[in-house]
Amino acid sequence: MLALAPALATQPALVIGATYGGGASNKALADAIRAQRKGKVSSMTLDSDHSFADHRIALAAAVVDWLQHQAASGTANKK
């Protein structure tokens, strides 16, 4: 995925990882995207496993909040 960072940096991105399910690699991806286009990636790591079984409401809330922020800032449809 790190090789895709330049392509992923062309649009706003949300990267959410799980502490017990690839959180470190997701953080590395977010950092790589951030290095390509500063400030256009949001990232977080939830203290959960890869399925977010015990944090699904927090995961859903984070996605909805991010989408609402994108819509409010007018970046949701920019290319």
Side-chain angles (χ1 to χ4, degrees), residues 8-42:
L8 294 171
T10 64
Q11 297 291 319
L14 173 63
V15 178
I16 301 176
T19 302
Y20 308 106
S25 60
N26 287 358
K27 182 184 180 315
L29 175 61
D31 290 344
I33 295 169
R34 196 171 285 114
Q36 296 291 318
R37 187 173 174 189
K38 294 178 181 12
K40 299 300 179 187
V41 63
S42 299

Side-chain angles (χ1 to χ4, degrees), residues 7-76:
L8 294 171
T10 64
Q11 297 291 319
L14 173 63
V15 178
I16 301 176
T19 302
Y20 308 106
S25 60
N26 287 358
K27 182 184 180 315
L29 175 61
D31 290 344
I33 295 169
R34 196 171 285 114
Q36 296 291 318
R37 187 173 174 189
K38 294 178 181 12
K40 299 300 179 187
V41 63
S42 299
S43 63
M44 66 185 319
T45 301
L46 296 175
D47 190 25
S48 187
D49 61 9
H50 72 280
S51 67
F52 299 99
D54 56 345
H55 283 77
R56 288 189 179 151
I57 292 173
L59 175 62
V63 172
V64 169
D65 289 346
W66 184 80
L67 288 170
Q68 288 176 334
H69 180 263
Q70 296 306 303
S73 66
T75 59

